[in-house]
Amino acid sequence: MGRTPCCEKEGLKKGPWTPEEDQKLIDYIQKHGYGNWRTLPKNAGLQRCGKSCRLRWTNYLRPDIKRGRFSFEEEETIIQLHSILGNKWSAIAARLPGRTDNEIKNYWNTHIRKRLLRMGIDPVTHNPRLDLLDLSSILGSSFYNNNSPNSQINNFSRLIGIHNSTINPEVLRFASSFITSNSLSQHHTPNFLLQNVDQNQEQYSQMIISHLQLQEQQPQHQIDPSSALPPLHEVSAGCSPSTTTSYGGEPHYYHSSGHQLLFQSSSNFTTDFYSQNCQHPNDEMASINNNMNGFNYSSLEEFQSYGFYGSHEEREREREQEQFHEQIMEASPETSTLNSSSTPLNSNSTYFSTTNGNGTDQDDRESYCSQFFKFEFSDFLDVNPAFM
DNA sequence: AATGAACCCAACCGCAATACC
DNA sequence: TGGTATTGCGGTTGGGTTCAT
């Protein structure tokens, strides 16, 4: 027996809320609270179903809701939490005071997700998008040029699951690790790599094949994607904090040799380390706070003060710029664009968009976002001469 | 200026989990 | 303990707004 949809009863209104309805709901909840959503609309004199009232209240009318655009801090928090929690919007919202799950979900889908895609980052896995590398063509060309009787290599298509259109996740992980470490060794960002796919495909496929040949010699071992690659920290060692500089809002890290280093984060790395080291795997936030990128931090603030999000000074400067921009907008509202929701009520439902049409806001955030996916380990590591 | 496309976000839908009887 | 009501949540939709041509 299916349940009757809550709004199917005749006479119940649907669609956008009017200011009068909002006021009725606010007045009622302020007087009586919201104990029973089912009976609330009738008692409040609203021709709505309880579900609609609950949504309107929790997503829009609640007094503690923070409206307006997301700050850089909020945005980076969303990205970080999403890399670990996935589409658990309510869990993410619980860590962002004043923001609703619906608001975060919308913001993710309309802004962050698209930005990550433009950057060549898979918004689901938070890793470089492997589909852009056209794995099948990589493998096809490699096998065409490789006549080795090696049975495992000849069975490679079976290994990666091409026959059933499912890629072996271990191989994907390996490929991702390779891209990351390759970008480090080449001193290039993933975007650079993605723009130079042809050049890297051959190198990429050779790495996979070398790895498989290694496995063929050591069949007793399960595939360890990291075994053929130097650990991330070894590659990045040698970059000292004092060599961190900034040009045009982007931090640049330098190897002692003078080469520029751009580090790209891997959420898999973060979560893998978390799964291996977190003492309380059920407490996700504790793991986030204590095991960011596999290093122990006493707080999120301490974590943020290090390189993952950019330098603390730089973040402060961006914050000041943002506040300055907001002050200008407050002083000269005619220069901003006034946006109203479909159901204008009061200041709660009307906000200023500080996007000024020249793309500055978007560019700033993209720049910041790309910065977000770079970090450094050097503060914590000894210099490894092998990578000097 | 007109118009179609793209964007944005409040609201809805339906399922799952939980509470209650 | 099982059935029903309620609440919570994530995915999707619809319509207003903005942008591009």
Side-chain angles (χ1 to χ4, degrees), chain A residues 14-15 17 51-52 56 67 102 106 110 351:
Chain A
K14 289 169 72 176
W17 282 62
K51 193 173 185 175
S52 179
R56 184 63 179 172
R67 304 210 70 82
N102 204 40
N106 282 333
T110 57
Y351 58 91

PDB file of all heavy atoms in Angstrom, chain A residues 14-15 17 51-52 56 67 102 106 110 351, chain B residues 7-16:
ATOM      1  N   LYS A  14       0.658  24.831  -3.653  1.00  0.00           N
ATOM      2  CA  LYS A  14       2.027  24.458  -3.968  1.00  0.00           C
ATOM      3  C   LYS A  14       2.716  25.648  -4.619  1.00  0.00           C
ATOM      4  O   LYS A  14       2.079  26.640  -4.927  1.00  0.00           O
ATOM      5  CB  LYS A  14       2.042  23.255  -4.930  1.00  0.00           C
ATOM      6  CG  LYS A  14       1.617  21.964  -4.265  1.00  0.00           C
ATOM      7  CD  LYS A  14       1.384  20.864  -5.262  1.00  0.00           C
ATOM      8  CE  LYS A  14       2.661  20.353  -5.868  1.00  0.00           C
ATOM      9  NZ  LYS A  14       2.411  19.201  -6.773  1.00  0.00           N
ATOM     10  N   GLY A  15       3.984  25.521  -4.817  1.00  0.00           N
ATOM     11  CA  GLY A  15       4.716  26.581  -5.496  1.00  0.00           C
ATOM     12  C   GLY A  15       5.279  27.619  -4.542  1.00  0.00           C
ATOM     13  O   GLY A  15       5.305  27.413  -3.329  1.00  0.00           O
ATOM     14  N   TRP A  17       6.214  30.606  -2.119  1.00  0.00           N
ATOM     15  CA  TRP A  17       5.538  31.143  -0.954  1.00  0.00           C
ATOM     16  C   TRP A  17       5.365  32.654  -1.110  1.00  0.00           C
ATOM     17  O   TRP A  17       6.244  33.338  -1.626  1.00  0.00           O
ATOM     18  CB  TRP A  17       6.326  30.847   0.313  1.00  0.00           C
ATOM     19  CG  TRP A  17       6.163  29.452   0.807  1.00  0.00           C
ATOM     20  CD1 TRP A  17       6.511  28.307   0.150  1.00  0.00           C
ATOM     21  CD2 TRP A  17       5.596  29.056   2.042  1.00  0.00           C
ATOM     22  NE1 TRP A  17       6.203  27.213   0.912  1.00  0.00           N
ATOM     23  CE2 TRP A  17       5.638  27.650   2.091  1.00  0.00           C
ATOM     24  CE3 TRP A  17       5.065  29.736   3.134  1.00  0.00           C
ATOM     25  CZ2 TRP A  17       5.170  26.920   3.175  1.00  0.00           C
ATOM     26  CZ3 TRP A  17       4.597  29.010   4.221  1.00  0.00           C
ATOM     27  CH2 TRP A  17       4.642  27.614   4.230  1.00  0.00           C
ATOM     28  N   LYS A  51       5.007  19.249   5.108  1.00  0.00           N
ATOM     29  CA  LYS A  51       6.327  19.087   4.510  1.00  0.00           C
ATOM     30  C   LYS A  51       6.801  20.394   3.866  1.00  0.00           C
ATOM     31  O   LYS A  51       7.959  20.783   4.003  1.00  0.00           O
ATOM     32  CB  LYS A  51       6.238  17.985   3.455  1.00  0.00           C
ATOM     33  CG  LYS A  51       7.562  17.485   2.967  1.00  0.00           C
ATOM     34  CD  LYS A  51       7.332  16.281   2.073  1.00  0.00           C
ATOM     35  CE  LYS A  51       8.634  15.663   1.640  1.00  0.00           C
ATOM     36  NZ  LYS A  51       8.420  14.422   0.882  1.00  0.00           N
ATOM     37  N   SER A  52       5.867  21.035   3.175  1.00  0.00           N
ATOM     38  CA  SER A  52       6.203  22.291   2.520  1.00  0.00           C
ATOM     39  C   SER A  52       6.570  23.347   3.557  1.00  0.00           C
ATOM     40  O   SER A  52       7.519  24.112   3.363  1.00  0.00           O
ATOM     41  CB  SER A  52       5.020  22.768   1.670  1.00  0.00           C
ATOM     42  OG  SER A  52       5.325  23.984   1.044  1.00  0.00           O
ATOM     43  N   ARG A  56      10.165  25.201   3.951  1.00  0.00           N
ATOM     44  CA  ARG A  56      10.247  26.654   3.877  1.00  0.00           C
ATOM     45  C   ARG A  56      10.966  27.203   5.107  1.00  0.00           C
ATOM     46  O   ARG A  56      11.773  28.124   5.010  1.00  0.00           O
ATOM     47  CB  ARG A  56       8.838  27.251   3.758  1.00  0.00           C
ATOM     48  CG  ARG A  56       8.793  28.766   3.584  1.00  0.00           C
ATOM     49  CD  ARG A  56       9.456  29.205   2.286  1.00  0.00           C
ATOM     50  NE  ARG A  56       9.398  30.649   2.090  1.00  0.00           N
ATOM     51  CZ  ARG A  56      10.028  31.299   1.128  1.00  0.00           C
ATOM     52  NH1 ARG A  56      10.762  30.625   0.256  1.00  0.00           N
ATOM     53  NH2 ARG A  56       9.937  32.596   1.026  1.00  0.00           N
ATOM     54  N   ARG A  67      22.530  34.263   4.792  1.00  0.00           N
ATOM     55  CA  ARG A  67      22.279  34.380   3.357  1.00  0.00           C
ATOM     56  C   ARG A  67      23.425  35.117   2.681  1.00  0.00           C
ATOM     57  O   ARG A  67      24.342  35.591   3.324  1.00  0.00           O
ATOM     58  CB  ARG A  67      20.957  35.081   3.127  1.00  0.00           C
ATOM     59  CG  ARG A  67      19.784  34.412   3.812  1.00  0.00           C
ATOM     60  CD  ARG A  67      18.488  34.624   3.067  1.00  0.00           C
ATOM     61  NE  ARG A  67      18.472  33.885   1.817  1.00  0.00           N
ATOM     62  CZ  ARG A  67      18.174  32.591   1.729  1.00  0.00           C
ATOM     63  NH1 ARG A  67      17.890  31.909   2.799  1.00  0.00           N
ATOM     64  NH2 ARG A  67      18.158  31.994   0.570  1.00  0.00           N
ATOM     65  N   ASN A 102      20.358  22.293   1.408  1.00  0.00           N
ATOM     66  CA  ASN A 102      19.850  22.635   0.074  1.00  0.00           C
ATOM     67  C   ASN A 102      20.709  23.719  -0.578  1.00  0.00           C
ATOM     68  O   ASN A 102      21.040  23.640  -1.759  1.00  0.00           O
ATOM     69  CB  ASN A 102      18.404  23.116   0.188  1.00  0.00           C
ATOM     70  CG  ASN A 102      17.640  22.945  -1.104  1.00  0.00           C
ATOM     71  OD1 ASN A 102      17.787  21.941  -1.799  1.00  0.00           O
ATOM     72  ND2 ASN A 102      16.823  23.927  -1.430  1.00  0.00           N
ATOM     73  N   ASN A 106      22.901  23.244  -3.911  1.00  0.00           N
ATOM     74  CA  ASN A 106      22.746  24.109  -5.077  1.00  0.00           C
ATOM     75  C   ASN A 106      24.059  24.776  -5.451  1.00  0.00           C
ATOM     76  O   ASN A 106      24.413  24.854  -6.627  1.00  0.00           O
ATOM     77  CB  ASN A 106      21.689  25.178  -4.807  1.00  0.00           C
ATOM     78  CG  ASN A 106      20.285  24.640  -4.935  1.00  0.00           C
ATOM     79  OD1 ASN A 106      20.032  23.686  -5.669  1.00  0.00           O
ATOM     80  ND2 ASN A 106      19.348  25.234  -4.211  1.00  0.00           N
ATOM     81  N   THR A 110      25.915  24.282  -9.028  1.00  0.00           N
ATOM     82  CA  THR A 110      25.931  25.390  -9.976  1.00  0.00           C
ATOM     83  C   THR A 110      27.280  26.090 -10.053  1.00  0.00           C
ATOM     84  O   THR A 110      27.565  26.743 -11.039  1.00  0.00           O
ATOM     85  CB  THR A 110      24.855  26.438  -9.623  1.00  0.00           C
ATOM     86  OG1 THR A 110      25.082  26.891  -8.292  1.00  0.00           O
ATOM     87  CG2 THR A 110      23.476  25.857  -9.738  1.00  0.00           C
ATOM     88  N   TYR A 351      19.391  39.714  -1.870  1.00  0.00           N
ATOM     89  CA  TYR A 351      20.813  39.838  -1.602  1.00  0.00           C
ATOM     90  C   TYR A 351      21.507  40.487  -2.773  1.00  0.00           C
ATOM     91  O   TYR A 351      21.019  40.514  -3.885  1.00  0.00           O
ATOM     92  CB  TYR A 351      21.432  38.477  -1.309  1.00  0.00           C
ATOM     93  CG  TYR A 351      21.262  37.482  -2.407  1.00  0.00           C
ATOM     94  CD1 TYR A 351      22.225  37.365  -3.400  1.00  0.00           C
ATOM     95  CD2 TYR A 351      20.125  36.676  -2.474  1.00  0.00           C
ATOM     96  CE1 TYR A 351      22.064  36.465  -4.418  1.00  0.00           C
ATOM     97  CE2 TYR A 351      19.964  35.778  -3.498  1.00  0.00           C
ATOM     98  CZ  TYR A 351      20.942  35.666  -4.462  1.00  0.00           C
ATOM     99  OH  TYR A 351      20.773  34.769  -5.476  1.00  0.00           O
TER     100      TYR A 351
ATOM    101  P    DC B   7      25.559  27.413 -18.559  1.00  0.00           P
ATOM    102  OP1  DC B   7      27.025  27.556 -18.490  1.00  0.00           O
ATOM    103  OP2  DC B   7      24.936  26.072 -18.561  1.00  0.00           O
ATOM    104  O5'  DC B   7      24.924  28.257 -17.367  1.00  0.00           O
ATOM    105  C5'  DC B   7      25.077  29.678 -17.369  1.00  0.00           C
ATOM    106  C4'  DC B   7      24.255  30.291 -16.247  1.00  0.00           C
ATOM    107  O4'  DC B   7      22.853  30.215 -16.573  1.00  0.00           O
ATOM    108  C3'  DC B   7      24.427  29.596 -14.902  1.00  0.00           C
ATOM    109  O3'  DC B   7      24.829  30.556 -13.950  1.00  0.00           O
ATOM    110  C2'  DC B   7      23.038  29.016 -14.595  1.00  0.00           C
ATOM    111  C1'  DC B   7      22.124  29.923 -15.402  1.00  0.00           C
ATOM    112  N1   DC B   7      20.833  29.330 -15.833  1.00  0.00           N
ATOM    113  C2   DC B   7      19.631  29.951 -15.456  1.00  0.00           C
ATOM    114  O2   DC B   7      19.671  30.964 -14.759  1.00  0.00           O
ATOM    115  N3   DC B   7      18.454  29.400 -15.868  1.00  0.00           N
ATOM    116  C4   DC B   7      18.459  28.310 -16.626  1.00  0.00           C
ATOM    117  N4   DC B   7      17.288  27.807 -17.008  1.00  0.00           N
ATOM    118  C5   DC B   7      19.681  27.670 -17.027  1.00  0.00           C
ATOM    119  C6   DC B   7      20.831  28.211 -16.612  1.00  0.00           C
ATOM    120  P    DC B   8      25.403  30.115 -12.566  1.00  0.00           P
ATOM    121  OP1  DC B   8      26.393  31.125 -12.143  1.00  0.00           O
ATOM    122  OP2  DC B   8      25.774  28.694 -12.627  1.00  0.00           O
ATOM    123  O5'  DC B   8      24.128  30.257 -11.623  1.00  0.00           O
ATOM    124  C5'  DC B   8      23.450  31.515 -11.576  1.00  0.00           C
ATOM    125  C4'  DC B   8      22.154  31.362 -10.814  1.00  0.00           C
ATOM    126  O4'  DC B   8      21.209  30.652 -11.631  1.00  0.00           O
ATOM    127  C3'  DC B   8      22.271  30.578  -9.508  1.00  0.00           C
ATOM    128  O3'  DC B   8      21.934  31.451  -8.445  1.00  0.00           O
ATOM    129  C2'  DC B   8      21.270  29.412  -9.654  1.00  0.00           C
ATOM    130  C1'  DC B   8      20.374  29.883 -10.791  1.00  0.00           C
ATOM    131  N1   DC B   8      19.787  28.832 -11.656  1.00  0.00           N
ATOM    132  C2   DC B   8      18.400  28.780 -11.851  1.00  0.00           C
ATOM    133  O2   DC B   8      17.688  29.613 -11.273  1.00  0.00           O
ATOM    134  N3   DC B   8      17.889  27.827 -12.662  1.00  0.00           N
ATOM    135  C4   DC B   8      18.695  26.958 -13.273  1.00  0.00           C
ATOM    136  N4   DC B   8      18.138  26.041 -14.070  1.00  0.00           N
ATOM    137  C5   DC B   8      20.111  26.996 -13.096  1.00  0.00           C
ATOM    138  C6   DC B   8      20.609  27.945 -12.287  1.00  0.00           C
ATOM    139  P    DC B   9      22.270  31.077  -6.979  1.00  0.00           P
ATOM    140  OP1  DC B   9      22.586  32.343  -6.293  1.00  0.00           O
ATOM    141  OP2  DC B   9      23.211  29.945  -6.944  1.00  0.00           O
ATOM    142  O5'  DC B   9      20.860  30.562  -6.439  1.00  0.00           O
ATOM    143  C5'  DC B   9      19.735  31.413  -6.537  1.00  0.00           C
ATOM    144  C4'  DC B   9      18.472  30.616  -6.264  1.00  0.00           C
ATOM    145  O4'  DC B   9      18.209  29.728  -7.370  1.00  0.00           O
ATOM    146  C3'  DC B   9      18.535  29.743  -5.014  1.00  0.00           C
ATOM    147  O3'  DC B   9      17.295  29.836  -4.357  1.00  0.00           O
ATOM    148  C2'  DC B   9      18.702  28.340  -5.590  1.00  0.00           C
ATOM    149  C1'  DC B   9      17.838  28.476  -6.835  1.00  0.00           C
ATOM    150  N1   DC B   9      18.045  27.452  -7.888  1.00  0.00           N
ATOM    151  C2   DC B   9      16.942  27.063  -8.673  1.00  0.00           C
ATOM    152  O2   DC B   9      15.845  27.592  -8.455  1.00  0.00           O
ATOM    153  N3   DC B   9      17.111  26.129  -9.629  1.00  0.00           N
ATOM    154  C4   DC B   9      18.310  25.590  -9.830  1.00  0.00           C
ATOM    155  N4   DC B   9      18.425  24.672 -10.782  1.00  0.00           N
ATOM    156  C5   DC B   9      19.448  25.975  -9.056  1.00  0.00           C
ATOM    157  C6   DC B   9      19.263  26.904  -8.102  1.00  0.00           C
ATOM    158  P    DA B  10      17.248  30.020  -2.805  1.00  0.00           P
ATOM    159  OP1  DA B  10      17.678  31.382  -2.484  1.00  0.00           O
ATOM    160  OP2  DA B  10      17.901  28.861  -2.173  1.00  0.00           O
ATOM    161  O5'  DA B  10      15.666  29.924  -2.558  1.00  0.00           O
ATOM    162  C5'  DA B  10      14.798  30.752  -3.309  1.00  0.00           C
ATOM    163  C4'  DA B  10      13.552  29.980  -3.702  1.00  0.00           C
ATOM    164  O4'  DA B  10      13.878  28.964  -4.685  1.00  0.00           O
ATOM    165  C3'  DA B  10      12.862  29.255  -2.552  1.00  0.00           C
ATOM    166  O3'  DA B  10      11.460  29.431  -2.696  1.00  0.00           O
ATOM    167  C2'  DA B  10      13.290  27.801  -2.730  1.00  0.00           C
ATOM    168  C1'  DA B  10      13.464  27.695  -4.244  1.00  0.00           C
ATOM    169  N9   DA B  10      14.483  26.752  -4.696  1.00  0.00           N
ATOM    170  C8   DA B  10      15.744  26.592  -4.202  1.00  0.00           C
ATOM    171  N7   DA B  10      16.457  25.690  -4.835  1.00  0.00           N
ATOM    172  C5   DA B  10      15.606  25.226  -5.817  1.00  0.00           C
ATOM    173  C6   DA B  10      15.762  24.252  -6.826  1.00  0.00           C
ATOM    174  N6   DA B  10      16.880  23.558  -7.022  1.00  0.00           N
ATOM    175  N1   DA B  10      14.716  24.020  -7.645  1.00  0.00           N
ATOM    176  C2   DA B  10      13.585  24.729  -7.457  1.00  0.00           C
ATOM    177  N3   DA B  10      13.321  25.670  -6.541  1.00  0.00           N
ATOM    178  C4   DA B  10      14.383  25.872  -5.744  1.00  0.00           C
ATOM    179  P    DA B  11      10.464  28.893  -1.623  1.00  0.00           P
ATOM    180  OP1  DA B  11       9.293  29.791  -1.637  1.00  0.00           O
ATOM    181  OP2  DA B  11      11.201  28.615  -0.374  1.00  0.00           O
ATOM    182  O5'  DA B  11      10.029  27.494  -2.249  1.00  0.00           O
ATOM    183  C5'  DA B  11       9.425  27.497  -3.539  1.00  0.00           C
ATOM    184  C4'  DA B  11       9.253  26.067  -4.010  1.00  0.00           C
ATOM    185  O4'  DA B  11      10.542  25.501  -4.327  1.00  0.00           O
ATOM    186  C3'  DA B  11       8.605  25.119  -2.993  1.00  0.00           C
ATOM    187  O3'  DA B  11       7.383  24.654  -3.526  1.00  0.00           O
ATOM    188  C2'  DA B  11       9.636  23.995  -2.807  1.00  0.00           C
ATOM    189  C1'  DA B  11      10.519  24.130  -4.036  1.00  0.00           C
ATOM    190  N9   DA B  11      11.899  23.702  -3.880  1.00  0.00           N
ATOM    191  C8   DA B  11      12.788  24.105  -2.916  1.00  0.00           C
ATOM    192  N7   DA B  11      13.976  23.556  -3.023  1.00  0.00           N
ATOM    193  C5   DA B  11      13.859  22.739  -4.124  1.00  0.00           C
ATOM    194  C6   DA B  11      14.771  21.881  -4.766  1.00  0.00           C
ATOM    195  N6   DA B  11      16.030  21.702  -4.357  1.00  0.00           N
ATOM    196  N1   DA B  11      14.342  21.209  -5.851  1.00  0.00           N
ATOM    197  C2   DA B  11      13.087  21.381  -6.260  1.00  0.00           C
ATOM    198  N3   DA B  11      12.134  22.159  -5.745  1.00  0.00           N
ATOM    199  C4   DA B  11      12.594  22.819  -4.670  1.00  0.00           C
ATOM    200  P    DC B  12       6.484  23.605  -2.785  1.00  0.00           P
ATOM    201  OP1  DC B  12       5.084  23.974  -3.071  1.00  0.00           O
ATOM    202  OP2  DC B  12       6.956  23.423  -1.401  1.00  0.00           O
ATOM    203  O5'  DC B  12       6.812  22.268  -3.596  1.00  0.00           O
ATOM    204  C5'  DC B  12       6.767  22.300  -5.021  1.00  0.00           C
ATOM    205  C4'  DC B  12       7.261  20.976  -5.571  1.00  0.00           C
ATOM    206  O4'  DC B  12       8.680  20.873  -5.366  1.00  0.00           O
ATOM    207  C3'  DC B  12       6.616  19.752  -4.926  1.00  0.00           C
ATOM    208  O3'  DC B  12       6.091  18.910  -5.932  1.00  0.00           O
ATOM    209  C2'  DC B  12       7.766  19.085  -4.167  1.00  0.00           C
ATOM    210  C1'  DC B  12       8.986  19.574  -4.924  1.00  0.00           C
ATOM    211  N1   DC B  12      10.234  19.667  -4.114  1.00  0.00           N
ATOM    212  C2   DC B  12      11.371  18.953  -4.485  1.00  0.00           C
ATOM    213  O2   DC B  12      11.334  18.232  -5.488  1.00  0.00           O
ATOM    214  N3   DC B  12      12.496  19.063  -3.726  1.00  0.00           N
ATOM    215  C4   DC B  12      12.494  19.852  -2.663  1.00  0.00           C
ATOM    216  N4   DC B  12      13.622  19.930  -1.958  1.00  0.00           N
ATOM    217  C5   DC B  12      11.348  20.584  -2.268  1.00  0.00           C
ATOM    218  C6   DC B  12      10.256  20.471  -3.010  1.00  0.00           C
ATOM    219  P    DC B  13       5.203  17.647  -5.586  1.00  0.00           P
ATOM    220  OP1  DC B  13       4.183  17.509  -6.648  1.00  0.00           O
ATOM    221  OP2  DC B  13       4.809  17.729  -4.165  1.00  0.00           O
ATOM    222  O5'  DC B  13       6.242  16.460  -5.731  1.00  0.00           O
ATOM    223  C5'  DC B  13       6.992  16.343  -6.935  1.00  0.00           C
ATOM    224  C4'  DC B  13       7.866  15.102  -6.874  1.00  0.00           C
ATOM    225  O4'  DC B  13       9.056  15.409  -6.104  1.00  0.00           O
ATOM    226  C3'  DC B  13       7.192  13.906  -6.213  1.00  0.00           C
ATOM    227  O3'  DC B  13       7.370  12.771  -7.035  1.00  0.00           O
ATOM    228  C2'  DC B  13       7.907  13.760  -4.870  1.00  0.00           C
ATOM    229  C1'  DC B  13       9.260  14.416  -5.128  1.00  0.00           C
ATOM    230  N1   DC B  13       9.876  15.112  -3.962  1.00  0.00           N
ATOM    231  C2   DC B  13      11.196  14.855  -3.617  1.00  0.00           C
ATOM    232  O2   DC B  13      11.841  14.034  -4.276  1.00  0.00           O
ATOM    233  N3   DC B  13      11.748  15.514  -2.571  1.00  0.00           N
ATOM    234  C4   DC B  13      11.022  16.397  -1.875  1.00  0.00           C
ATOM    235  N4   DC B  13      11.603  17.025  -0.853  1.00  0.00           N
ATOM    236  C5   DC B  13       9.669  16.676  -2.205  1.00  0.00           C
ATOM    237  C6   DC B  13       9.141  16.017  -3.243  1.00  0.00           C
ATOM    238  P    DG B  14       6.477  11.456  -6.781  1.00  0.00           P
ATOM    239  OP1  DG B  14       6.152  10.890  -8.103  1.00  0.00           O
ATOM    240  OP2  DG B  14       5.414  11.756  -5.803  1.00  0.00           O
ATOM    241  O5'  DG B  14       7.535  10.495  -6.082  1.00  0.00           O
ATOM    242  C5'  DG B  14       8.795  10.309  -6.684  1.00  0.00           C
ATOM    243  C4'  DG B  14       9.742   9.652  -5.711  1.00  0.00           C
ATOM    244  O4'  DG B  14      10.182  10.617  -4.733  1.00  0.00           O
ATOM    245  C3'  DG B  14       9.114   8.498  -4.913  1.00  0.00           C
ATOM    246  O3'  DG B  14      10.076   7.471  -4.796  1.00  0.00           O
ATOM    247  C2'  DG B  14       8.844   9.125  -3.549  1.00  0.00           C
ATOM    248  C1'  DG B  14      10.046  10.067  -3.449  1.00  0.00           C
ATOM    249  N9   DG B  14       9.908  11.163  -2.502  1.00  0.00           N
ATOM    250  C8   DG B  14       8.781  11.879  -2.201  1.00  0.00           C
ATOM    251  N7   DG B  14       8.977  12.816  -1.300  1.00  0.00           N
ATOM    252  C5   DG B  14      10.329  12.702  -0.991  1.00  0.00           C
ATOM    253  C6   DG B  14      11.123  13.434  -0.085  1.00  0.00           C
ATOM    254  O6   DG B  14      10.783  14.370   0.652  1.00  0.00           O
ATOM    255  N1   DG B  14      12.449  13.001  -0.086  1.00  0.00           N
ATOM    256  C2   DG B  14      12.930  11.970  -0.865  1.00  0.00           C
ATOM    257  N2   DG B  14      14.214  11.692  -0.735  1.00  0.00           N
ATOM    258  N3   DG B  14      12.200  11.276  -1.715  1.00  0.00           N
ATOM    259  C4   DG B  14      10.911  11.692  -1.728  1.00  0.00           C
ATOM    260  P    DC B  15       9.632   5.970  -4.570  1.00  0.00           P
ATOM    261  OP1  DC B  15       9.666   5.296  -5.879  1.00  0.00           O
ATOM    262  OP2  DC B  15       8.407   5.940  -3.722  1.00  0.00           O
ATOM    263  O5'  DC B  15      10.850   5.427  -3.697  1.00  0.00           O
ATOM    264  C5'  DC B  15      12.172   5.823  -4.045  1.00  0.00           C
ATOM    265  C4'  DC B  15      12.996   6.004  -2.792  1.00  0.00           C
ATOM    266  O4'  DC B  15      12.614   7.224  -2.128  1.00  0.00           O
ATOM    267  C3'  DC B  15      12.841   4.879  -1.769  1.00  0.00           C
ATOM    268  O3'  DC B  15      14.118   4.322  -1.499  1.00  0.00           O
ATOM    269  C2'  DC B  15      12.238   5.561  -0.544  1.00  0.00           C
ATOM    270  C1'  DC B  15      12.658   7.010  -0.734  1.00  0.00           C
ATOM    271  N1   DC B  15      11.768   8.023  -0.097  1.00  0.00           N
ATOM    272  C2   DC B  15      12.307   8.924   0.821  1.00  0.00           C
ATOM    273  O2   DC B  15      13.509   8.873   1.097  1.00  0.00           O
ATOM    274  N3   DC B  15      11.483   9.854   1.391  1.00  0.00           N
ATOM    275  C4   DC B  15      10.196   9.880   1.070  1.00  0.00           C
ATOM    276  N4   DC B  15       9.434  10.806   1.659  1.00  0.00           N
ATOM    277  C5   DC B  15       9.637   8.969   0.132  1.00  0.00           C
ATOM    278  C6   DC B  15      10.449   8.060  -0.428  1.00  0.00           C
ATOM    279  P    DA B  16      14.241   3.034  -0.581  1.00  0.00           P
ATOM    280  OP1  DA B  16      15.279   2.185  -1.195  1.00  0.00           O
ATOM    281  OP2  DA B  16      12.897   2.493  -0.263  1.00  0.00           O
ATOM    282  O5'  DA B  16      14.838   3.651   0.767  1.00  0.00           O
ATOM    283  C5'  DA B  16      15.906   4.576   0.667  1.00  0.00           C
ATOM    284  C4'  DA B  16      16.303   5.039   2.062  1.00  0.00           C
ATOM    285  O4'  DA B  16      15.397   6.072   2.505  1.00  0.00           O
ATOM    286  C3'  DA B  16      16.273   3.946   3.125  1.00  0.00           C
ATOM    287  O3'  DA B  16      17.416   4.082   3.949  1.00  0.00           O
ATOM    288  C2'  DA B  16      14.963   4.211   3.882  1.00  0.00           C
ATOM    289  C1'  DA B  16      14.804   5.718   3.732  1.00  0.00           C
ATOM    290  N9   DA B  16      13.417   6.193   3.680  1.00  0.00           N
ATOM    291  C8   DA B  16      12.384   5.679   2.955  1.00  0.00           C
ATOM    292  N7   DA B  16      11.245   6.328   3.097  1.00  0.00           N
ATOM    293  C5   DA B  16      11.567   7.342   3.982  1.00  0.00           C
ATOM    294  C6   DA B  16      10.801   8.389   4.541  1.00  0.00           C
ATOM    295  N6   DA B  16       9.509   8.583   4.271  1.00  0.00           N
ATOM    296  N1   DA B  16      11.419   9.233   5.387  1.00  0.00           N
ATOM    297  C2   DA B  16      12.716   9.037   5.656  1.00  0.00           C
ATOM    298  N3   DA B  16      13.539   8.099   5.197  1.00  0.00           N
ATOM    299  C4   DA B  16      12.895   7.281   4.351  1.00  0.00           C
TER     300       DA B  16
END
